[in-house]
């Protein structure tokens, strides 16, 4: 592609143009000296953080400084978001046609599936590939180099940069097109959600026959397959697509989407922890997880949101004898439509003594096990509290208590 053709491409896409650091400085509104440091000494403007993965290993996240993040966000908005990925790239895109749910919907009624995961997805995208993206849309060598330096770290795409998701989709255009060409000729459905690729059809032999060709294309494009996460799905096992389970129902021809069970269990545990401890710092995160699950399952016969609201209310009934917990719950409603709690007074006769002793021990043991502070003063509780605390450590069967 000639430089004139590339210049026309930049203009047609209405992309910002610059040939010097001073020109880029005027466009972005930061000093040329600062931009030079950000682009030439990039590693000084990142902090690395490790977060645990499900398999017990750790994923390294490179977090850019506030200033570098501003520049990367400018590149994302003014350049990268104007470039369209392939129509089978389902991640990191806005609109009702993309996302986890639509990715699963696309393969909803096929019988056989093949799930392939790309290993070290972002780090496997080199600075050279990123440079080619900017060069191919019309930027000269200087501009493409500066933009590449601002978007990469140690010669690869960092996980944590605002530009990395969009750049990964654009870099994968050739990979996507080759796989689309292969699959459409053979009646195979294909989508890619970041590093998670899914292929499906109604012919098992056809899928198996094309598996080696799919592998070859992926390898040709310099991506590595995580063989431990390669799975074939048949009608006899669960079809799970980017964490969303495609589940048949008792009704003929009706299939539902379900969020991961492990996520639902985690949400219930987080809700229980908040209510039982009276600490709601994680409330917004919990509501976000609920919103995601509800988005996946809200069209099912039994939507998720009413079920989780019922669980919140039933869990709240367990704290009615703890005034501080009742107050904390009423001040931190997960949902405004839920009824407020009323504290119950403790009146103990001989028959109820063991129940309240058990109630106190269960909660106390839970707090100790989870290293949580107790906000309750037990001012309304009888002498049972002091007596129970002495033998609390010997109460071994508490972990199996139905209240937990």
């Amino acid at each position: 592609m000639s430089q004139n053709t590339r210049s026309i491409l930049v203009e047609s896409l209405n992309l910002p143009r610059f040939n010097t650091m001073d020109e880029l400085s005027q466009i972005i509104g930061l000093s040329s000296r600062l931009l030079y440091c950000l682009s030439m000494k990039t590693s000084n403007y990142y902090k690395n953080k490790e977060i645990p993965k499900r398999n017990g290993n750790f994923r390294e996240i490179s977090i850019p400084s506030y200033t570098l993040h501003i520049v990367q966000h400018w590149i994302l908005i003014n350049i990268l978001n104007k470039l369209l990925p392939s129509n089978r790239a389902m991640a990191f895109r806005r609109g009702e046609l993309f996302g986890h749910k639509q990715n699963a919907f696309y393969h909803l009624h096929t019988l056989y599936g093949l799930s392939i995961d790309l290993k070290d997805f972002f780090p496997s995208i080199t600075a050279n590939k990123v440079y080619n993206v900017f060069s191919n849309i019309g930027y000269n060598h200087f501009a493409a180099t500066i933009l590449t330096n601002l978007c990469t770290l140690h010669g690869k795409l960092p996980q944590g940069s605002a530009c990395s998701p969009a750049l990964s989709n654009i870099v994968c255009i050739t990979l996507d097109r080759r796989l689309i060409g292969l699959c459409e000729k053979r009646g195979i459905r294909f989508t890619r959600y970041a590093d998670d690729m899914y292929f499906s059809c109604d012919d098992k032999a056809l899928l198996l026959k094309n598996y080696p060709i799919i592998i070859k294309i992926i390898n040709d494009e310099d991506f590595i397959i995580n063989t431990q996460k390669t799975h074939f799905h048949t009608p006899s096992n669960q079809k799970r697509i980017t964490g969303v389970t495609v589940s048949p129902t008792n009704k003929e021809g009706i299939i539902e989407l379900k969020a991961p069970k492990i996520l639902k269990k985690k949400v219930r545990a987080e809700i229980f922890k908040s209510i039982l401890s009276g600490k709601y710092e994680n409330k917004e995160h919990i509501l976000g997880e609920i919103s995601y699950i509800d988005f996946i399952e809200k069209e099912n016969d039994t939507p998720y949101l009413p079920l989780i609201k019922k669980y919140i209310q039933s869990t709240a009934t367990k704290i009615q004898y703890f005034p501080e917990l009742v107050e904390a719950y009423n001040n931190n409603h997960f949902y405004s439509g839920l009824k407020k709690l009323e504290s119950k007074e403790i009146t103990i006769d001989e028959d109820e003594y063991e129940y309240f002793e058990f109630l106190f021990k269960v909660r106390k043991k839970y707090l100790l096990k989870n290293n949580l502070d107790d906000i309750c003063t037990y001012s309304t509780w009888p002498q049972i509290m002091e007596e129970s605390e002495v033998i609390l450590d010997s109460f071994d069967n508490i972990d199996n208590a139905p209240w937990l």
Side-chain angles (χ1 to χ4, degrees), residues 317 319-323 326 341-347 355-356 380-381:
T317 61
I319 62 168
Q320 289 181 295
Y321 293 103
F322 303 85
V326 170
L341 279 180
E342 291 185 8
S343 293
K344 288 186 177 180
E345 292 185 7
I346 298 177
T347 54
Y355 169 73
F356 284 103
T380 61
W381 282 64

Side-chain angles (χ1 to χ4, degrees), residues 109-259:
H109 297 289
T110 51
L111 295 176
Y112 299 95
L114 167 63
S115 176
I116 295 178
D117 183 83
L118 302 180
K119 188 176 182 180
D120 299 326
F121 183 53
F122 282 173
S124 67
I125 298 176
T126 63
N128 184 54
K129 290 183 177 181
V130 175
Y131 174 88
N132 288 337
V133 168
F134 292 117
S135 178
N136 289 339
I137 60 175
Y139 285 105
N140 62 24
H141 175 69
F142 171 81
T145 299
I146 295 300
L147 291 171
T148 299
N149 290 348
L150 290 168
C151 294
T152 58
L153 176 64
H154 302 312
K156 58 189 179 182
L157 212 56
Q159 191 156 342
S161 163
C163 295
S164 293
L167 274 169
S168 70
N169 271 345
I170 298 164
V171 167
C172 286
I173 286 177
T174 303
L175 170 66
D176 292 344
R177 285 176 177 171
R178 290 182 67 182
L179 291 172
I180 291 169
L182 171 74
C183 293
E184 286 189 346
K185 291 177 182 178
R186 292 160 173 78
I188 299 173
R189 288 178 167 255
F190 157 69
T191 55
R192 181 182 57 80
Y193 193 97
D195 57 353
D196 197 336
M197 314 174 82
Y198 202 85
F199 305 81
S200 69
C201 66
D202 292 334
D203 188 336
K204 180 180 179 181
L206 180 65
L207 205 56
L208 293 172
K209 181 180 179 181
N210 284 277
Y211 176 64
I213 307 174
I214 292 169
I215 300 302
K216 185 178 184 305
I217 292 174
I218 293 171
N219 291 335
D220 284 348
E221 296 297 325
D222 298 322
F223 290 102
I224 301 171
I225 295 172
N226 187 343
T227 54
Q228 294 182 341
K229 292 186 177 181
T230 297
H231 302 288
F232 281 96
H233 298 140
T234 69
S236 62
N237 60 25
Q238 277 192 336
K239 185 193 289 184
R240 185 171 297 162
I241 307 170
T242 55
V244 178
T245 300
V246 178
S247 177
T249 66
N250 294 328
K251 297 180 180 180
E252 185 176 354
I254 303 297
I255 298 176
E256 295 183 337
L257 300 181
K258 294 188 179 294

Side-chain angles (χ1 to χ4, degrees), residues 267-285:
V267 169
R268 288 166 67 97
E270 289 175 337
I271 290 171
F272 187 87
K273 182 178 179 180
S274 294
I275 293 175
L276 206 67
S277 67
K279 300 179 187 299
Y280 292 83
E281 296 89 345
N282 208 28
K283 173 183 169 183
E284 294 305 319
H285 174 71

